[in-house]
Amino acid sequence: MAAAGPRGTGTGTGTGSKNIVTSFQRRGPRASSSDSGGPRLVSIAGTRPSVRNGQLLVSTGLPALDQLLGGGLAVGTVLLIEEDKYNIYSPLLFKYFLAEGIINVHTLLVASAKEDPEKILQELPAPLLDDNCKKEFDEDIYNDKTPESSIKMKIAWRYQLLPKMEAGPVSSSRFGHYYDVSKKMPQELIKASKWHGFFLPEKISSTLNTEPCSLTHGYIKLLQFIQKIIYEEGFDGSNPQKKQKNILRIGIQNLGSPLWGDDVCCTENCDNSHDLTKFLYILRGLLRTSLSACIITVPTHLIQNKAIIARITNLSDTVVHLESFIGSERETNPLYKDYHGLIHIRQIPRLNNLICDVSDVKDLAFKLRRKLFTIERLHLPPDLSDTVSRSSKQDVAESATLLGPGCGMMAGGKKHLDF
């Protein structure tokens, strides 16, 4: 006599119970099993899934910028940095991105037509790790404070309602690190890292026979080099037997400059105006099918054709513009004395959803301290000076005199409004 199975367990016995589908599930951690029921996202050092769309994210090397971009830079996307006028601050963001890759043992691909990639790696900032992180940050903030800024003051209500930005190190955060720009990264970390360099003068010989092609030869060489690294080292997922997966961080410096053989910055109507846009289009195709993230710096202030700038922006996923105060009126303006420039988030990608993570903070400024590059809200100081107050009152009085009590007073003399 066959033994009857227990009732209500959801797993009946007998010949007719094998195909029964029930809603009961076995309790226990599913992640420990090696079947298809495990998590879809791969576990890679230095990455985390987005809380909004589940996209795998990497840090840009600047936690404040990660916060503005919705948590970090999505894998398979392009971050375009529009260089400042004198190219002083954009190389810092470029080096932060590469330094973050070395700390997380990611593979680097550095491409440049101006500097040797090996020299760029030697100038990466040193990381602030664990014990010294908070101490160094507090010391830098304290040394940078002025006597005026140490006075406690009640700020305007529009600033009080804004959420607080992450400006300093957080001990519980393992995603993103802080770096000391006054020190260089230890040679032991650089030697232990895996990186590939692309220096354009070494890749193109002087006796090269130029053939008619749809792209500049420097762009073709770079695309072939990137494609070779992605396919040979398995960043495209073609080698499923590989036990440990990794991220490829690609950094391209001064793309679109005349050093790359592109004349898009020289004339408004150049012959090769579509080379840069074609390069970005092909590059995005390579990134979308691989575990890689790319940062590109472009001197957009040299491009005279605004239509090309719009195309470059559309072909990039994330666009950040740096506006330096050097050589402008704001450099001597006392309202901006605490900052070195403005940072504008031009574009944030829409990944797996119809909307993008737009930051609530619109007025952003950056400052290069002695050790840290910080991004802060643009807090304009209140109008408390007696001189400024008197001048403001005088201007208001003059305007009232010119306008008069009504429209009938504007018939003669100077007037500001015409009907």
Side-chain angles (χ1 to χ4, degrees), residues 94-201:
F94 187 80
K95 293 176 182 178
Y96 279 141
F97 181 80
L98 299 178
E100 185 69 19
I102 290 182
I103 296 300
N104 293 306
V105 201
H106 294 167
T107 304
L108 303 182
L109 193 156
V110 187
S112 176
K114 181 181 179 181
E115 296 182 73
D116 192 344
E118 185 176 0
K119 182 180 178 182
I120 296 177
L121 294 179
Q122 297 297 327
E123 297 176 352
L124 295 182
L128 295 175
L129 299 176
D130 300 335
D131 299 336
N132 297 329
C133 185
K134 185 69 177 175
K135 180 181 177 182
E136 294 281 349
F137 183 83
D138 293 340
E139 180 184 351
D140 191 33
I141 297 297
Y142 178 78
N143 294 334
D144 190 74
K145 279 186 175 181
T146 60
E148 298 178 358
S149 61
S150 61
I151 301 176
K152 292 186 178 180
M153 186 180 303
K154 186 177 181 181
I155 61 177
W157 62 271
R158 74 180 289 258
Y159 297 128
Q160 291 177 348
L161 298 178
L162 293 176
K164 186 177 180 181
M165 277 190 63
E166 180 183 351
V170 180
S171 58
S172 61
S173 175
R174 297 182 180 179
F175 184 82
H177 299 81
Y178 292 84
Y179 299 90
D180 186 354
V181 295
S182 64
K183 299 178 182 179
K184 304 301 180 184
M185 181 167 289
Q187 293 296 322
E188 295 79 12
L189 294 177
I190 298 178
K191 292 180 181 179
S193 63
K194 185 177 182 180
W195 62 278
H196 305 275
F198 181 92
F199 190 39
L200 185 63

Side-chain angles (χ1 to χ4, degrees), residues 74-90:
V75 173
T77 61
V78 178
L79 170 59
L80 178 68
I81 304 294
E82 297 184 2
E83 299 176 1
D84 52 292
K85 188 175 181 181
Y86 295 99
N87 198 25
I88 297 177
Y89 302 104
S90 55

Side-chain angles (χ1 to χ4, degrees), residues 58-62 65 69 73-74 77-82 89-99 108-111 222 226 248-255 279-280 283 287 292-298 316 318 320 322:
V58 296
S59 175
T60 59
L62 200 59
L65 183 59
L69 300 182
L73 180 64
T77 61
V78 178
L79 170 59
L80 178 68
I81 304 294
E82 297 184 2
Y89 302 104
S90 55
L92 288 176
L93 301 184
F94 187 80
K95 293 176 182 178
Y96 279 141
F97 181 80
L98 299 178
L108 303 182
L109 193 156
V110 187
L222 180 56
I226 295 175
L248 175 64
R249 286 178 176 252
I250 304 174
I252 307 175
Q253 196 176 43
N254 303 121
L255 190 69
F279 173 84
L280 292 174
L283 177 64
L287 296 179
S292 56
C294 181
I295 182 174
I296 301 176
T297 64
V298 177
S316 303
T318 307
V320 177
L322 296 180

